[in-house]
Structures are given as C-alpha cells and as structure tokens.
Amino acid sequence: MTTKIKKDLYIPFRWEERRHVFLERFFYIPKKYDSQNHGELLNWSRPEVFGNDLPVFVEFCSGNGQWIVQQAKAHPECNWVAVEMRFERARQIWLRSFGENLTNLYVVCGEALEFLSYYVPPKCIAQSFINFPDPWPKRHHAKHRIVQAPFLRCLSKTMKQGASVTLVTDSPTYRDQMFDEFKQWRSRFEAPFFCTHFPSYGESFFADLWVGKGREIFTYSISMKWIDLPCQPHDSLDWSQQLSLAKTFQSQGERIVWKCNLGIETPFYPLDDEMQFQAASLAMRRFTEHIWPIFQDHTDFVCLYQGTAGFDAFFSWSDKQRSEFERFTDKETPLALPLFCAESFAIYFQMLSHRLPDEAKVLLLFDLTHLKSPMRALQVISKERFEHFSIGFRGMDLPLEGLWWEGTTLYTRKIETTAGVVFPRELCDRIEELLSLDGVKILFESNVSEEWEGLDLLYVIAGSLGVQGMRKLSGFRAAGGEIIEI
Ligand SMILES: C[S@@+](CC[C@H](N)C(=O)[O-])C[C@H]1O[C@@H](n2cnc3c(N)ncnc32)[C@H](O)[C@@H]1O
C-alpha cells in the first residue's frame, strides 16, 4: 500500500481495497466502493480535521484549488474544505495548501453528492461555493451537471441557517438552470439575480481561462437568510448569537428574515391567555428596541407565524372564546369554525404586530395542506382578513400570485397569464354549506331534470342558476318538489 511521503500524495489504497482513507487534512473517498460501508460523519472540530469551531466554508468542484487556496490564505478566520473528485487535482490542492503551510484547508477527494450525503453533518456549512462546475453543454449530457435537485436537497440539509451558496459559470444555459433549481432561495442581486462583475471574488484556473478568452462570467449568490429568534416565555431573549449572525449578513450586504419563535404554531394555551400574550409582547418590544434600530435597513420581514392555516385543528378554547364564537355565527355553517379560529389568530397577530415598528413588514407563512378544499383555503387566508400582513403559502396547488414558501425558502410566484378569476366571498361559503349537508347528492345544473328522479327536495344557491336551470326548477316545483334557497 502506498502512503503519503513527505511532500506528496499517492492514491492511498490498492484498487481491490477501495476504502476511504484519512491522511493529513486529506480525505479520500474511493469511487465505486461498497456503499454499505460508508464511514462516519466528519467532526470538524476533531484535531485531525480542523481542531476548532471556526465557520466551515466548502467549495465543490475545486479543480486545481487556485481559488480556495487563495481564500484560505486570506481568511484564516474560517475553515475551508475543497471537494474535488479527480485524484490528480485533489493532490494539487493538497500540495498547494502544504506549500502555503495552511492549517485551515481540508481536501476531500471524492464525488460531491456522495461527500454531502454520507460525511457532512446536518446544518454545519456556513457558506458554499461552486466555481465553474463542468457545464456538460450537450443536452443529453446535462444529467451529469452537479447543480440538480438531489444535490440541492443534500446541500440544504447540511447548510447552517442563513448560509449562502455562490455559483459561478460562463455558461448562460447552466446559469439559467441554476436559477431554476435555486429559484426558491433569495438572491443577493436584483433581477436578473446574477452579476457579471464581482470584483475581488478571487481567481481560479477556469476564471482566468474564460476571462482571457473574453467570455462573460455570471456569478449567482443566494442564501437562506433566516434568523430564528427564540421568543417564548422560557427564552432568555438574550439573542447575542443571532445578533452576531445578523452582523455578518449586514457586512455582506445581505437581507434578513427574522423568524420569531413565539410557539403560536402549536399553542397549548388559549389566545386570550394574558401571561402568554405579555411574554410575546415583551419579545416584540425587545426586537423593536434592540434589533430594529441596527438592522432595519437589512431586514426583509419579521415573521410571526409559520404553520398550518387550519387554525381550528389546534385551537384552545376558553369560556370567553366560546361565547364569542356563538356571537360570531348564528347558524352552524361548516366554515364558521375555521373562519372564527382564523379571525381570532388574525387579531392576535395584529395585536402583536402593534408592538413592532410601524415600518416592519410582518410576515405570516401559511401551510394549506390540511385545509379541505381550495375554497376553504381561499376563505381562511383571505386578503381582507390578513390585510396588514405579508402572507405566504405552501401546500396546495392554487393559481395564486405572491409569496410562497417551502422550509426556509421564500419566493415570489408570478403567474404569466392574461386572464383572472374573481373569487367571490359569499358564494363559496354557501357552496361549502351545500356540500356539507347530510343525506344529499350532487346534481349538475345542466342535467338537473335527468338526475332528480326520486328526489322531493332540492337545495340551490339563490341567484346562482341560469335561465335554463331556473326553468327546470319550475318544473320540479310544479311536480310537487320543494326547493330551498340558501
Ligand atoms: C471546470 S473545472 C473547474 C475547476 C475550478 N473550480 C476552477 O474554477 O478552476 C470542474 C471541476 O469539477 C470537478 N467535478 C465535476 N463534477 C464533480 C463532482 N460531482 N464532485 C466533485 N468534483 C467534481 C471536475 O473534476 C473538475 O476538476
């Protein structure tokens, strides 16, 4: 078996062995080896890796390592990891690093997705970079590109909250594909979301090559810039870690979404519990006094809620709310309960947002998965109810423009169309009511006379039927049938 000799590396195994090997700040993941036999997750703070807890920055597809060696030299306050699958290139990175006496650069010789999937612990990467990934320009080769859904899924899991990804390419096709893959993330740049001039980003072999040939270079930098603020009664409201993360974002010119964890997603208390409300108000005031003045210009949203819009599923009732519910509705329609609960939450969010600065954009993120129908969902989340908030949706396929979210990603959906549907307020309520009646069957207006055989009662929504429909109903009545309009 060959091993590292003084200033060089050799493939550290025989082909038949195909095992992963750790050498000095070098990790070898052999190709095509027994996938059952993956090693352990890397622990960056172990002495044989970095031996400290500095933030970890990872470059995938490092090539000969020119860029990452420069960065590791210029930024000793960070740990750098180069991931390159070709041994000869990984070896060159290691040699450069060795030549520069760097102790903050770790070289991984292996396939990027495999490395992420099996060796990187969750939520540990502070920033990642992909500089000039192989573009695979032919359409039937595009499947080999690294920036695709499986890679992004793994990357999201391994990145810290607020971590960013920077992608650089000279290929407009790959640039657009990257944008498609990452469109749910937030770009550092305004539309079209990439920049073609990124001074002091650093040089790499391919950057020099393509710039030398006069090609345009596209840099696309996106991140999940969420900062969680623990705001519950048992939380200290110290937030010093969050402040330092925010300062890093601020110094990088990034924009922030503050996520206030108030515990409202699954409250075990009624919303009129005074003590809980005071605790939440205190957190809001602390945000207003200590965070807002410093980060106002870098803040996109203050998020108060991220959870189901089926508020009735976990609503904790107090006597006061029960009597309010009775006042809210004089008849028990199927929508009364979800709408009452949504209304109560809207009022609660409104009261909390009064403790936040007037200029803050308050965000509510609703998951529509458990709402039974699009009609119900649209009524619950109506703009009228949440008019003072920015609201985002997920979990239901609705042709609705605006903010949508998935996990910690937030994006604006724009629908390219020339036609719209006006969603009525009243009618839906009544359709819901009709559909919830016991012991009824549905008849389509056009076929009503063919289908009423055996019926002596029809429910209809007042004013909703056309002339033909009305004429048919007169026939039904003339034959002794009863019609109830609701
Ligand atoms: C075009 S070169 C760019 C190298 C370097 N980033 C630069 O700018 O000079 C792409 C590099 O990515 C490596 N690579 C391609 N796919 C990879 C993968 N799935 N995992 C790790 N490395 C990969 C290739 O071996 C190659 O060295």
Side-chain angles (χ1 to χ4, degrees), residues 66-327:
Q66 185 181 344
W67 182 85
I68 197 164
V69 170
Q70 277 169 15
Q71 301 303 316
K73 232 171 116 179
H75 297 284
E77 74 285 3
C78 308
N79 288 322
W80 295 83
V81 180
V83 185
E84 167 55 52
M85 69 182 182
R86 292 212 209 163
F87 178 78
E88 253 325 297
R89 295 188 181 168
R91 173 175 161 266
Q92 280 185 43
I93 310 175
W94 186 85
L95 285 175
R96 280 173 189 259
S97 170
F98 203 94
E100 299 281 357
N101 283 323
L102 295 177
T103 54
N104 62 336
L105 176 56
Y106 191 79
V107 182
V108 176
C109 179
E111 200 281 317
L113 180 56
E114 181 160 353
F115 172 61
L116 273 182
S117 312
Y118 299 108
Y119 301 98
V120 181
K123 294 186 189 287
C124 70
I125 300 178
Q127 286 198 32
S128 48
F129 305 85
I130 311 180
N131 297 318
F132 301 96
D134 290 321
W136 296 103
K138 292 198 177 132
R139 195 133 53 91
H140 60 284
H141 284 154
K143 59 179 182 280
H144 298 302
R145 289 179 186 158
I146 187 169
V147 181
Q148 301 203 47
F151 180 77
L152 291 202
R153 265 199 301 278
C154 278
L155 190 61
S156 313
K157 282 191 202 143
T158 51
M159 303 227 329
K160 280 187 163 187
Q161 195 181 31
S164 68
V165 189
T166 305
L167 305 126
V168 188
T169 183
D170 60 300
S171 153
T173 327
Y174 205 174
R175 175 202 69 201
D176 293 345
Q177 183 196 325
M178 286 175 180
F179 173 67
D180 266 2
E181 302 285 358
F182 277 97
K183 68 172 173 257
Q184 301 175 350
W185 295 41
R186 299 177 68 72
S187 173
R188 180 192 292 199
F189 310 112
E190 297 294 317
F193 308 117
F194 55 80
C195 83
T196 49
H197 180 59
F198 199 144
S200 71
Y201 180 69
E203 297 92 43
S204 76
F205 177 82
F206 277 87
D208 295 348
L209 182 71
W210 299 136
V211 170
K213 288 185 189 279
R215 290 207 194 165
E216 199 168 25
I217 306 298
F218 308 105
T219 305
Y220 179 41
S221 184
I222 55 260
S223 77
M224 309 187 282
K225 291 173 283 278
W226 287 64
I227 299 186
D228 272 323
L229 289 177
C231 295
Q232 297 196 47
H234 54 267
D235 293 317
S236 70
L237 307 187
D238 165 36
W239 299 343
S240 47
Q241 272 189 348
Q242 286 80 357
L243 278 168
S244 68
L245 180 60
K247 283 196 174 125
T248 313
F249 290 160
Q250 195 179 34
S251 67
Q252 294 166 344
E254 310 273 20
R255 302 192 59 74
I256 302 166
V257 178
W258 301 93
K259 169 77 185 20
C260 301
N261 292 328
L262 293 152
I264 321 178
E265 284 77 5
T266 47
F268 50 87
Y269 52 87
L271 290 182
D272 53 9
D273 182 307
E274 191 54 30
M275 208 189 76
Q276 291 287 340
F277 181 72
Q278 288 309 335
S281 301
L282 188 68
M284 299 296 95
R285 272 203 296 275
R286 191 165 163 72
F287 176 88
T288 305
E289 285 160 18
H290 295 269
I291 294 196
W292 186 255
I294 314 174
F295 298 106
Q296 169 172 8
D297 292 343
H298 287 84
T299 294
D300 268 350
F301 295 108
V302 183
C303 179
L304 294 188
Y305 183 84
Q306 181 178 27
T308 180
F311 300 102
D312 49 316
F314 59 81
F315 201 77
S316 294
W317 291 90
S318 65
D319 291 344
K320 191 166 156 230
Q321 278 160 334
R322 278 187 206 290
S323 55
E324 271 172 21
F325 179 53
E326 276 159 27
R327 277 201 298 281

